[in-house]
Amino acid sequence: MPQATELDNANRMRWSGGKGHYEVYYLTFNHLESGCGFWIRHTMNAPLDDERGAYAQMWFSMFDSKSPDDNFGIKKKFDAAALERTDAPFKLSLGGCSLENGRLRGSMSGSGREASWDLEYSVNAKPHLHLPEMFYKKDIADTTVLSPALAAKFTGVIVANGRRFEFKNDPGCQTHLWGRKHARRWAWGHCNAFDGHPDSVFEGLTVHLKKAGVSLPPISVLYFKHAGEEYRFTELASAIVGCKGEFTTGRWAFSAKDAVRMVKGQITCGDSDMIRADYSDPDGEPSYCHNTEVASARLTFFKRKHIFDGWSEIDSIESRNAAHVEFAGRSADPKVKNVIQDIT
């Protein structure tokens, strides 16, 4: 058997065949020429109860920043036995769709919608860890997440509802997450499509957790790369002391700072830009995710010489209709009318 690479280990499926586990591989990316964004997910869920067997799903969603009426999402459910996987080299196959390190192919149709894709994408030298490093060494979090391809470039073709999209190093990401239960509420965002700054990257999360029935204060973990400099606020101390985030459906504002650097940002989108995705935890509790890949983002960077000095703005960057964001919780937002459709 081939020796597993660091990338194989990052994408390796954590499900051992037992109950009480869910796992997701998602890719979000943009076709800059058309102003469209895409969201493709390979998922599995092993419920805790005996009545519901383990299952897998394929998801495809398209977002059009110029014509939100053309936004759509479809998903198809399979018995878990239909999910084929290898760890080294990593590969998932489900319902004629496949995902490998740096490659994805597939097709889906139903509910009057159809889509096919054949894409390659660049991968990271090392995976991006969203959470404090200790979370990956011990089974601490209810959900663990990392990105094997945080600032990917996509090439290839998508055909969706008769429209053909040719990708030529267009921006996006690939992420892998797994766990026992979704958070109570969260906002997630990503962007590597800042206008005039193709090498700048943002990845972040503000999460509301509940432990032993007690709701905890929100925690934000944020990462920025700009002008050749990294701003990493993903360890526990920097997240608790240096990061803030607040959100409502359609708007997320956040900030992060250390002794001499600060970043303020926000991601916004309209109700019609989003599609609602309905999730189910292994214990059966539902959660509702309101997602778009055509949001707008703005980041402002500040510096100072020392902690007693005032802040000076050094740069501001934005992405118009090519940022990724989702707002999720335990209730659906009625303002988001578009819902991903189940197909057979």
Side-chain angles (χ1 to χ4, degrees):
M1 182 177 178
Q3 184 175 357
T5 66
E6 188 168 10
L7 192 58
D8 290 327
N9 287 329
N11 266 328
R12 172 181 56 83
M13 181 168 276
R14 269 52 175 188
W15 184 44
S16 62
K19 300 177 182 179
H21 181 89
Y22 81 96
E23 198 147 356
V24 179
Y25 299 82
Y26 69 78
L27 301 101
T28 56
F29 49 96
N30 297 87
H31 184 255
L32 296 181
E33 182 180 352
S34 66
C36 290
F38 299 87
W39 183 28
I40 296 176
R41 299 175 87 237
H42 304 66
T43 79
M44 63 77 50
N45 192 325
L48 281 168
D49 62 69
D50 294 327
E51 295 181 2
R52 298 182 301 153
Y55 60 91
Q57 290 181 316
M58 275 302 310
W59 303 51
F60 177 92
S61 295
M62 172 183 150
F63 305 81
D64 189 332
S65 64
K66 299 175 183 177
S67 180
D69 287 344
D70 292 331
N71 295 353
F72 76 93
I74 52 178
K75 61 181 178 177
K76 187 173 183 178
K77 187 176 181 180
F78 302 84
D79 187 87
L83 179 63
E84 300 177 6
R85 73 197 208 199
T86 58
D87 291 340
F90 164 76
K91 184 176 182 178
L92 291 181
S93 298
L94 179 65
C97 305
S98 63
L99 174 64
E100 306 169 61
N101 294 324
R103 184 74 185 270
L104 69 156
R105 288 174 282 188
S107 63
M108 298 177 66
S109 62
S111 298
R113 309 288 191 176
E114 59 181 2
S116 63
W117 57 93
D118 189 345
L119 298 162
E120 295 183 352
Y121 61 95
S122 57
V123 297
N124 292 5
K126 294 179 69 67
H128 170 75
L129 304 183
H130 297 63
L131 307 175
E133 192 169 353
M134 67 178 181
F135 283 55
Y136 301 89
K137 296 178 179 179
K138 297 181 179 180
D139 188 19
I140 299 174
D142 286 337
T143 293
T144 305
V145 56
L146 54 78
S147 292
L150 183 66
K153 302 296 183 182
F154 286 74
T155 59
V157 174
I158 286 180
V159 179
N161 285 349
R163 297 174 65 182
R164 180 180 175 88
F165 303 87
E166 295 191 13
F167 291 77
K168 302 174 182 178
N169 289 319
D170 285 291
C173 67
Q174 184 253 311
T175 296
H176 177 202
L177 61 96
W178 64 92
R180 298 176 290 271
K181 191 171 182 63
H182 290 91
R184 186 172 65 88
R185 295 180 67 230
W186 73 88
W188 161 85
H190 170 87
C191 188
N192 61 323
F194 289 98
D195 303 336
H197 299 276
D199 296 324
S200 296
V201 184
F202 165 70
E203 178 79 20
L205 179 70
T206 293
V207 61
H208 293 243
L209 301 173
K210 180 180 284 189
K211 293 292 184 181
V214 177
S215 297
L216 303 178
I219 297 175
S220 297
V221 285
L222 305 169
Y223 170 84
F224 312 88
K225 182 180 179 182
H226 178 59
E229 187 173 353
E230 284 191 312
Y231 301 68
R232 189 179 294 273
F233 298 88
T234 56
E235 289 301 318
L236 201 56
S238 62
I240 293 175
V241 176
C243 295
K244 294 181 180 179
E246 58 180 22
F247 62 90
T248 187
T249 307
R251 182 183 181 276
W252 177 29
F254 48 85
S255 65
K257 66 179 180 180
D258 57 22
V260 295
R261 304 180 302 175
M262 179 169 65
V263 186
K264 293 183 177 181
Q266 71 170 11
I267 300 182
T268 58
C269 63
D271 297 336
S272 63
D273 294 321
M274 291 179 279
I275 298 178
R276 196 188 85 207
D278 297 351
Y279 299 163
S280 178
D281 286 337
D283 64 8
E285 185 179 9
S287 61
Y288 302 89
C289 172
H290 311 84
N291 179 289
T292 186
E293 317 309 334
V294 292
S296 294
R298 183 178 181 86
L299 303 178
T300 305
F301 296 83
F302 303 83
K303 284 193 174 180
R304 61 184 180 185
K305 293 181 179 180
H306 50 75
I307 60 173
F308 301 109
D309 196 13
W311 293 103
S312 298
E313 180 178 332
I314 59 171
D315 206 354
S316 184
I317 61 175
E318 64 180 324
S319 174
R320 288 166 289 184
N321 306 318
H324 312 164
V325 69
E326 65 183 30
F327 307 93
R330 296 297 167 173
S331 60
D333 192 320
K335 297 191 299 295
V336 179
K337 306 297 185 183
N338 203 340
V339 180
I340 293 180
Q341 300 298 308
D342 288 296
I343 62 174
T344 57

